[in-house]
Amino acid sequence: MEQLLLGVNYWAVLISAFMSMLIASLWYSPFMFGKQWMDLNRMSKDDIEKGYPMWLILAILFLFWFFAALAFALFLDVTATWSTGFIDGLLIAFFWVGTARASAILFERQPFKLFLIHSGYDLICYVIMGTLIGSWH
């Protein structure tokens, strides 16, 4: 395991985690899909303001994305390129994460549009992550 961890480009992991957090803050903002996301979840602006503070959400999100990027870096072969990272990001987003999202949406009886919003975010994050990590392996 130590040998695997030594082969990781931690700058790529950190930047991937930061990019995913940045994309989330834009994706779920009123400028993109925030209003639709709130409507589909039957949430008001007051509900958002009563919840966790945004700095805490982004800090926790960064931590989770850091571990996702680290796992992705360990998953990719040392011969990976930007294109293999890109394709692996697509496959992970569509088949692993997309399946988990679909299960949650179906069992919670949420609208399909909510699945598209969440899955679109996941797709962009994993493609960028794979491309960055594959490029800097």
Side-chain angles (χ1 to χ4, degrees):
M1 184 64 162
E2 184 179 331
Q3 198 66 9
L4 280 174
L5 291 172
L6 289 175
V8 170
N9 183 327
Y10 287 95
W11 284 110
V13 170
L14 284 170
I15 291 172
S16 293
F18 179 77
M19 291 297 296
S20 298
M21 183 188 65
L22 180 65
I23 292 165
S25 63
L26 293 172
W27 194 264
Y28 292 100
S29 76
F31 305 110
M32 292 190 73
F33 301 105
K35 175 87 172 88
Q36 292 172 322
W37 171 78
M38 286 174 53
D39 290 344
L40 292 167
N41 281 297
R42 296 175 196 90
M43 296 171 71
S44 69
K45 193 172 183 175
D46 289 338
D47 294 327
I48 299 292
E49 291 170 0
K50 283 188 255 179
Y52 300 114
M54 189 55 66
W55 69 266
L56 181 59
I57 292 169
L58 292 175
I60 293 169
L61 188 61
F62 177 81
L63 187 64
F64 278 105
W65 277 114
F66 174 82
F67 287 115
L70 180 60
F72 202 152
L74 293 170
F75 173 78
L76 284 178
D77 186 78
V78 292
T79 61
T81 63
W82 73 267
S83 60
T84 56
F86 179 91
I87 290 168
D88 287 349
L90 279 175
L91 294 173
I92 288 169
F94 274 118
F95 298 111
W96 289 344
V97 179
T99 300
R101 289 274 188 200
S103 297
I105 293 293
L106 290 169
F107 281 111
E108 293 173 5
R109 287 155 175 78
Q110 295 286 329
F112 185 71
K113 286 182 183 179
L114 196 55
F115 168 77
L116 294 175
I117 290 171
H118 290 316
S119 296
Y121 165 66
D122 293 329
L123 177 66
I124 289 170
C125 289
Y126 279 102
V127 164
I128 289 172
M129 185 182 296
T131 304
L132 280 172
I133 293 170
S135 296
W136 294 356
H137 224 350

